[in-house]
Amino acid sequence: MPPEKKTSPKLNPGQFNMFYIILTVVAIYLLQGMWEQSVQTATIPYSQFEALLKKNQIVKVTINENQIHGTVKDPLEKGQKQFITTLVDEI
C-alpha cells in the first residue's frame, strides 16, 4: 500500500489576489497622505519662526519635545501655510 500524500488546503486564487489588491490600495493612500503633508509643510529656521512671531503672523502653534509645528496667516515663500522648525532652548 503506497503512503498517503498529505495535501494542504488550497486557497481560492481570487481571494488571495484580492488581499494584495486591497493592501496595495491602502498603502497608496497612506503614501499619498504623507506626500501631501510634506509638500504643504515648509521647514524653516528658528530665526524665521521668531521673526514671524514678532510680526504676529502665526495663527496656531504646537510644540513637542524637539519641534515646533505651526500655521501662518499669509503663505510662506513657496505658498505653504504650515511650517515646522527645530525647537531651540534659549539660555
Side-chain angles (χ1 to χ4, degrees):
M1 178 175 252
E4 293 183 28
K5 289 186 177 179
K6 292 184 179 180
T7 58
S8 61
K10 294 184 179 180
L11 294 174
N12 182 348
Q15 289 177 341
F16 185 73
N17 291 334
M18 191 59 120
F19 171 75
Y20 283 116
I21 291 171
I22 292 171
L23 185 65
T24 303
V25 169
V26 169
I28 289 171
Y29 278 118
L30 289 174
L31 290 172
Q32 179 184 11
M34 290 187 311
W35 172 257
E36 286 178 3
Q37 181 67 26
S38 69
V39 171
Q40 294 175 356
T41 304
T43 302
I44 63 172
Y46 188 79
S47 58
Q48 185 178 356
F49 165 72
E50 287 180 318
L52 289 168
L53 194 58
K54 287 178 184 176
K55 292 178 185 176
N56 199 25
Q57 289 293 310
I58 298 179
V59 177
K60 180 181 175 184
V61 173
T62 305
I63 301 172
N64 63 25
E65 289 181 25
N66 302 323
Q67 296 177 331
I68 300 172
H69 300 264
T71 306
V72 293
K73 290 179 185 176
D74 300 321
L76 298 170
E77 298 167 3
K78 295 183 181 176
Q80 300 110 327
K81 292 200 76 156
Q82 297 179 357
F83 68 88
I84 187 170
T85 188
T86 303
L87 182 61
V88 176
D89 290 331
E90 294 185 24
I91 299 174

